[in-house]
Amino acid sequence: MQELNFPKFLFRFKSNENKVSIFDEIRKKFIVLQPEEWVRQNCVQYLIQHKNYPKSLINVEKELKVNGLTKRYDIVVFNPNGSILLIVECKSYKIKINQSTFDQIARYNLALNASYLMVTNGINHYYCVMDFEKERYEFLKSIPDYK
């Protein structure tokens, strides 16, 4: 798998019928290893091991309704009170991040109202904080560590 712009993490892998799977600590099951999943799993470990977010506050690959359509978010981190702190949109390392990627996460955030947004393809990471009064986001150098 492609080397990503994340610290190195240890993962559990298994091979079955010529398919490699990676263990997802959040979903507690093996997931077929695709390029986007590789980015997602590295991002989850980054949030846990480097930003100190508790596993119990992280959710991966769940459905949400946006304008009546069913969509799936990649990673959401909750606040202890149940509100959403962070949404992460993961793309394959083969995909260039562009304005449509930000438009996608902004649409998701209309339904979720997260304070922070992160978009990554594993190579490039972009972080934003929401300004709900001005209805825009501001770019940051990083997302905050969990307190």
Side-chain angles (χ1 to χ4, degrees), residues 33-50:
L33 187 57
Q34 302 286 343
E36 184 177 316
E37 191 63 42
W38 179 236
V39 173
R40 186 169 24 253
Q41 291 306 317
N42 274 272
C43 190
V44 165
Q45 291 307 313
Y46 172 73
L47 293 171
I48 294 167
Q49 295 186 38
H50 285 266

Side-chain angles (χ1 to χ4, degrees), residues 30-137:
F30 280 93
I31 307 295
V32 174
L33 187 57
Q34 302 286 343
E36 184 177 316
E37 191 63 42
W38 179 236
V39 173
R40 186 169 24 253
Q41 291 306 317
N42 274 272
C43 190
V44 165
Q45 291 307 313
Y46 172 73
L47 293 171
I48 294 167
Q49 295 186 38
H50 285 266
K51 291 297 182 176
N52 300 314
Y53 289 95
K55 282 190 257 187
S56 61
L57 296 178
I58 299 173
N59 213 318
V60 175
E61 283 256 292
K62 296 284 185 189
E63 288 185 355
L64 74 147
K65 294 275 188 202
V66 178
N67 296 331
L69 300 172
T70 300
K71 303 287 184 181
R72 290 184 83 78
Y73 60 72
D74 286 304
I75 303 168
V76 163
V77 178
F78 291 91
N79 287 303
N81 68 6
S83 64
I84 296 176
L85 177 67
L86 168 70
I87 305 171
V88 182
E89 179 60 31
C90 299
K91 296 294 183 191
S92 164
Y93 49 81
K94 299 174 182 178
I95 294 178
K96 188 173 183 188
I97 294 173
N98 56 26
Q99 186 61 48
S100 70
T101 312
F102 283 96
D103 293 344
Q104 178 183 1
I105 199 168
R107 278 192 306 275
Y108 289 2
N109 205 32
L110 290 174
L112 298 174
N113 293 313
S115 302
Y116 295 93
L117 307 176
M118 176 180 174
V119 177
T120 182
N121 63 3
I123 308 299
N124 299 299
H125 316 301
Y126 300 93
Y127 313 96
C128 306
V129 61
M130 293 302 302
D131 183 337
F132 290 104
E133 286 182 18
K134 294 180 182 169
E135 296 183 344
R136 62 188 193 106
Y137 48 81

